[in-house]
Amino acid sequence: MKRLKNISVEAFTIVLFLLFLVPFVILVINTGKDSNSIIDSALALPENWGQFITNIQLILTDPTVAYITSFVSSVIITVVSLVVIVLASSLCAWGLVRNKNKLSSIIFLVFVASMVIPFQVVMFPLVSWYKMITDATGIELLRSYLGIILAYGGFGVALSVFLYHGFIKSIPLELEEAAMMEGCNQFQLFFKIIFPILRPITVTVVILNGIWIWNDFLLPVQILGKGNAIQTLPIAVVNFVGSFVTQWNLVLTAALLAIIPIVIVYLFLQKHIIKGMVDGAVK
Amino acid sequence: MKRSKKSYLLLILPAVAMFSLVMIIPFVLGVYYSFTDWTATVGKAVSFIGLENYFTAFADATFIHSFLVTMQYAIVSIVVTNALAILMAMLVTRKTKLANLYRSGFFIPNLIGGIVLGYLWQFIFNNVLVIIGNTLGLEFLQQSLLANPTVSIYALVIVGSWQYAGYIMMIYVAALQNIPSEVLEASSLDGATGFQRLRHIIFPMVAPAFTISLFLTLVTAFKQFDINFALNMGGPGTTFAGVPVMASELLALNIYQTAFSFNQMGVAQAKSIIFFVVLVVIAIIQVVLTKRREIEA
């Protein structure tokens, strides 16, 4: 009786699991079709997988998607933003925890409170503000790497400082005092002693911010605009859909190519990613 | 161990400077612009018009409608996402060889952006499900869910929950794994039934995770934009209070359209401030509830 129950629960789990993955199966089988057969038989297997290669080639060489350039831009923006966020917020959190004064409490509170602000409130004024800065200083912030990385830095530090802050509070002060006795300066102390201890929370910070930045759409659209030499993959997909409304086989191929990089990364770093995302939520 | 004032300021400067530049200043500007006739045109002077944008926003049927639709979407999403997540968490914390595989599969939709998923599901709703409907003679599937104003919001719920449930599942999994197995074993030795264990041990232990998940799903539903944008742009058209509106247009998309399609920047700004106030209220309720629970515990 118990065994029967176990088997039926297992079967139910498998069915649910397959249902969850069906959209991806539909995605893959339809990237192997031409634009006519996809409309007649969205559920059929492709007649020849050669079309799959053709579709991939079409997307890779498509000027709107500009896959290689978009991919490289996405990687540059994500990686540099992450480095900026990790360094700025770990240093800041360390400074705040180790200097207990009014200013530290206020700054920390403002960081935490800002997490409630929806992006819609700041997105239109941000663009105007960037224009004002450019007019005053001549530094190009719109349509540039500098502007978007700065924006991700500014939007990413609040949560990251909060996460680092909680972690650093648990590091005993004696450890730092001992290092100072040994003649470490502040800089060495942080990078040789503190930063390595922060590793678990750095993983969380990198994953939470990385997934958000890689997939983000509204901010890059605002800052980079359309028809820019610098475009991220989500923008590339949106532009492509805008230009090929009915070519579903190509739209799905573009979607697949946008999904593949992150799934590959996930397969390699699964444990870290799951742990990092859950830690970020529960804290 | 006194550290110098200078090094302290240097430590906090990079983060504080970036944060002020892209968050604080635009936020202050945003609040200010909501009381002006701002058009985002470069070089055009803005003048103060008081609460006019707010009156316009509240008199805008599309805004009121999108508010109601967002509430509806949020409530249904919270129920569906959490129910799915709890079910999946129970299934993957059983002793089974495939637990890790299940977990990864359920979690994958989270990693992918709403834009790409939105287009994929647009294809599924408009082509795949319609074909299934025609083949099996299922009448309710013969017309795309996205084309029907009364159900298109549920299409959005399906995609949103599918994307988010795996993440919420992980939070419940963490909570379930925190329950010491000794306690469960002891209770079954003492003759507790499955239901009693659920009610007196599992439920209280999982309650904090439930609170977190509730608010995560609530805020995520309220902020939903990407899927709404890519799935069907808030469509299809319908009427509300005698005015043409978009049936599944949520708040974030309504604000976006106010700015980009109708170029009413001041009104869009006022709407986004109202949106912000709603989120603040939600956050305050969350903090109060969580604090109260901690005191009880």
Side-chain angles (χ1 to χ4, degrees), chain A residues 56-221:
Chain A
I56 298 265
Q57 279 170 339
L58 276 170
I59 294 297
L60 288 182
T61 55
D62 183 88
T64 321
V65 180
Y67 186 81
I68 306 293
T69 357
S70 305
F71 177 79
V72 172
S73 292
S74 271
V75 170
I76 291 172
I77 290 168
T78 307
V79 171
V80 181
S81 300
L82 286 175
V83 172
V84 169
I85 290 171
V86 164
L87 285 177
S89 46
S90 58
L91 284 168
C92 180
W94 188 52
L96 295 177
V97 174
R98 294 296 180 232
N99 293 275
K100 287 190 174 59
N101 55 37
K102 250 216 159 69
L103 180 64
S104 291
S105 324
I106 293 171
I107 291 175
F108 183 69
L109 267 178
V110 172
F111 275 139
V112 174
S114 77
M115 291 185 215
V116 183
I117 301 173
F119 182 61
Q120 278 74 15
V121 175
V122 288
M123 77 182 186
F124 312 124
L126 177 65
V127 175
S128 291
W129 171 233
Y130 265 14
K131 280 187 191 138
M132 292 181 213
I133 296 176
T134 304
D135 288 345
T137 62
I139 302 167
E140 286 297 338
L141 292 175
L142 288 172
R143 306 177 81 83
S144 73
Y145 279 124
L146 177 66
I148 191 153
I149 287 164
L150 194 65
Y152 280 128
F155 287 116
V157 287
L159 174 67
S160 311
V161 166
F162 175 73
L163 291 169
Y164 275 121
H165 197 276
F167 195 89
I168 292 171
K169 274 196 294 199
S170 64
I171 300 175
L173 200 58
E174 290 76 25
L175 191 77
E176 293 183 30
E177 282 167 352
M180 293 293 262
M181 295 293 215
E182 300 286 324
C184 267
N185 62 31
Q186 290 264 328
F187 184 82
Q188 289 170 317
L189 172 66
F190 184 80
F191 286 102
K192 288 202 167 131
I193 314 276
I194 305 292
F195 196 69
I197 300 176
L198 297 178
R199 217 191 114 157
I201 201 75
T202 299
V203 170
T204 301
V205 166
V206 164
I207 283 157
L208 284 177
N209 287 299
I211 290 175
W212 157 58
I213 294 171
W214 181 265
N215 290 322
D216 196 21
F217 167 70
L218 265 178
L219 183 71
V221 157

Side-chain angles (χ1 to χ4, degrees), chain A residues 6 9-10 12-14 16-17 19-21 23-24 26-27 30 38-43 84 88-89 91-92 94-96 98-99 101 103-104 107 110-111 114-118 120-126 128-133 135 149-151 153-155 157-158 161 173 176-177 180 186 189 208 211 215-218 221-222 234 237-238 241 248 251-252 255-256 258-259 262-263 266-267 270 273-274 277-278 280-282, chain B residues 1 3-5 7-16 18-27 29-31 33 38 40 42 84 87-88 91-92 94-98 100-117 119-124 126-128 131-132 161-163 165-167 170-171 174 212 216 223 225-226 229 251-253 255-256 259-260 265 268-269 272-273 275-276 279-281 283:
Chain A
N6 278 347
V9 171
E10 191 73 24
F12 177 75
T13 315
I14 289 172
L16 190 65
F17 174 78
L19 266 178
F20 244 75
L21 295 184
F24 297 118
I26 290 173
L27 174 69
N30 284 295
I38 195 169
I39 297 301
D40 308 331
S41 54
L43 274 174
V84 169
S89 46
L91 284 168
C92 180
W94 188 52
L96 295 177
R98 294 296 180 232
N99 293 275
N101 55 37
L103 180 64
S104 291
I107 291 175
V110 172
F111 275 139
S114 77
M115 291 185 215
V116 183
I117 301 173
Q120 278 74 15
V121 175
V122 288
M123 77 182 186
F124 312 124
L126 177 65
S128 291
W129 171 233
Y130 265 14
K131 280 187 191 138
M132 292 181 213
I133 296 176
D135 288 345
I149 287 164
L150 194 65
F155 287 116
V157 287
V161 166
L173 200 58
E176 293 183 30
E177 282 167 352
M180 293 293 262
Q186 290 264 328
L189 172 66
L208 284 177
I211 290 175
N215 290 322
D216 196 21
F217 167 70
L218 265 178
V221 157
Q222 297 296 307
V237 174
V238 171
V241 173
W248 272 111
V251 170
L252 293 177
L256 179 72
I259 288 174
I262 200 153
V263 171
Y266 176 63
L267 294 178
Q270 216 181 105
I273 288 179
I274 290 176
M277 282 186 80
V278 174
V282 177
Chain B
M1 277 296 293
R3 285 161 210 255
S4 65
K5 186 91 183 151
S7 77
Y8 162 59
L9 291 176
L10 275 180
L11 286 176
I12 62 173
L13 184 72
V16 171
M18 283 192 300
F19 178 74
S20 307
L21 195 77
V22 306
M23 193 86 184
I24 303 287
I25 294 172
F27 179 71
L29 277 175
V31 175
Y33 284 151
W38 182 55
V42 181
L84 252 180
L87 173 71
M88 288 172 351
L91 293 174
V92 301
R94 290 174 307 121
K95 289 187 178 67
T96 159
K97 284 197 179 74
L98 296 173
N100 272 337
L101 176 73
Y102 294 143
R103 248 179 250 192
S104 312
F106 290 144
F107 193 76
I108 275 192
N110 258 290
L111 304 166
I112 300 160
I115 292 285
V116 174
L117 295 182
Y119 289 129
L120 168 59
W121 277 90
Q122 188 186 331
F123 174 76
I124 293 172
N126 287 344
N127 296 289
V128 179
I131 288 176
I132 293 175
S161 303
W162 173 76
Q163 187 194 21
Y167 179 44
M170 289 297 177
I171 295 171
I212 294 170
L216 276 177
K223 287 185 173 177
F225 175 85
D226 288 9
F229 178 94
L251 270 172
L253 184 57
I255 293 169
Y256 177 91
F260 291 105
M265 298 309 281
Q269 211 48 52
S272 67
I273 301 291
F275 183 30
F276 164 66
L279 289 170
V280 169
V281 171

